[in-house]
Amino acid sequence: MARENSGGYGNGHLWVSWDEYHQAIESLAKLVHQSGWQFDQALCLARGGLRPGDVFSRLFKVPLAILSTSSYREVSGTQRGELDVASSITSTAGPLSGRILLIDDLVDSGVTMERVQEQLKLQCPDVTEVRSAVIWYKACSVMRPDYYVEYLSDSPWVHQPFEQYDDLTPAKL
């Protein structure tokens, strides 16, 4: 992963290629596997956690649940706004229960991850344990995920490869 320390968010920026992104997801899966902890369902936070959640669901052979969250909307998704968390979780496996792995691409402020964990306690009484997994853990986060690939001590802005679509429309393809 390439770093550049020229202006912008925090002390710099981190640009991630598709290959690096996929390798990071696989590294995260290895960390969870090597921990020995087994989970019953994967819950990904959309949109950033969709791709890692899909990979985890396939690798670990567990159902995938999706919860939509949004806080980065303005200026092509680079400016944090009010946090919105959907009121319901989508899953073909029924209500969440047992051990849940909560997956996202990164923890920035940590507010989304904390709010979702609180919501799960209130809305999912059959959930017995929740652990969190992310690719990037920024130092500015108020919470530490259980599993992460890279700790970003300078909290750079992470440019992920799928962001190329943020400023595109179908007509521009």
Side-chain angles (χ1 to χ4, degrees):
M1 290 177 237
R3 286 185 188 270
E4 182 175 303
N5 290 319
S6 60
Y9 184 82
N11 291 328
H13 294 259
L14 173 62
W15 278 267
V16 181
S17 72
W18 279 111
D19 283 344
E20 292 166 331
Y21 179 70
H22 289 122
Q23 289 170 2
I25 293 171
E26 291 174 6
S27 293
L28 184 60
K30 288 177 192 175
L31 286 172
V32 174
H33 173 72
Q34 291 168 348
S35 77
W37 186 70
Q38 296 183 0
F39 53 99
D40 302 303
Q41 293 181 32
L43 172 60
C44 70
L45 300 183
R47 293 187 309 188
L50 282 170
R51 287 170 181 87
D54 176 59
V55 171
F56 270 65
S57 176
R58 292 170 190 271
L59 288 174
F60 290 94
K61 313 295 188 251
V62 297
L64 178 63
I66 302 168
L67 178 62
S68 291
T69 62
S70 178
S71 60
Y72 287 93
R73 288 181 286 283
E74 290 79 26
V75 193
S76 297
T78 61
Q79 185 175 13
R80 188 180 313 156
E82 186 68 27
L83 173 61
D84 293 324
V85 178
S87 59
S88 61
I89 295 168
T90 300
S91 174
T92 58
L96 290 181
S97 62
R99 295 174 308 264
I100 305 301
L101 183 62
L102 180 58
I103 304 169
D104 205 354
D105 53 352
L106 58 85
V107 286
D108 188 356
S109 68
V111 171
T112 301
M113 194 72 74
E114 280 191 335
R115 171 111 40 104
V116 168
Q117 289 184 2
E118 290 169 9
Q119 185 173 322
L120 289 176
K121 287 177 187 175
L122 296 172
Q123 294 179 343
C124 303
D126 294 330
V127 169
T128 58
E129 185 178 5
V130 177
R131 292 192 187 179
S132 55
V134 299
I135 299 170
W136 300 284
Y137 163 34
K138 291 186 180 184
C140 61
S141 176
V142 297
M143 63 85 63
R144 179 182 180 181
D146 296 292
Y147 306 99
Y148 58 91
V149 174
E150 187 175 2
Y151 176 74
L152 301 173
S153 61
D154 53 348
S155 299
W157 185 262
V158 179
H159 297 270
Q160 298 184 59
F162 48 81
E163 292 173 359
Q164 69 187 19
Y165 299 106
D166 287 346
D167 292 325
L168 284 177
T169 63
K172 291 181 183 178
L173 291 175

